Amino acid sequence: MTPLLELKRMAYELTNRFNCLLFGSLGLLYTYPEVLDTTPHDADFMTDSNRGNLAAIIRFLQKSDYTVYSWQDPIVEGFDMDVLPGRIYIRGIKYIQGFSPAIIDITYELINFPFKEMLPLTVVKDGIRILNKDGYIYSLGLCVKQKQLKRREILMNL
């Protein structure tokens, strides 16, 4: 079972404490749940690649009992932040008894999906900064999986 309460709590905290926004299926659950055919299993965020911002997000995730990774490398004391460019995202995983792991992905580097261009395409819902309809239509249009393209089509018809 997905720990939705934990993911929603972290969505609120991350988008209010840091320069980031929620996207992916959890964001759609808040804004356009009718396009989903499954329950979100993780929380996807976008932020800029500013080193200080990333370091602060990493510290916050760690203080919130998440183990943070860059690819398969755990981000721990002494981790070389210089390896982050080109790796696109970091992942936080928290194990909660009775649930599947809470997974948080923080994307900080996408050429076709730059944070500064997506930031104006947001809405605040329940105190959480989330992509708006135009932002989702754009971002889902960059996907190749049929599931995401179907979601985009549904959004375009709303």
Side-chain angles (χ1 to χ4, degrees), residues 16-39:
N16 281 279
R17 291 174 182 256
F18 306 100
N19 195 19
C20 68
L21 62 92
L22 177 66
F23 72 111
S25 58
L26 185 62
L28 284 169
L29 183 67
Y30 273 103
T31 54
Y32 300 99
E34 60 271 31
V35 307
L36 297 175
D37 56 1
T38 59
T39 302

Side-chain angles (χ1 to χ4, degrees), residues 58-83:
I58 290 165
R59 281 191 305 274
F60 177 75
L61 288 171
Q62 291 168 333
K63 287 181 181 178
S64 299
D65 297 323
Y66 283 80
T67 302
V68 184
Y69 298 89
S70 171
W71 293 0
Q72 285 75 34
D73 300 326
I75 299 176
V76 294
E77 185 72 32
F79 179 82
D80 182 5
M81 295 286 282
D82 290 335
V83 303

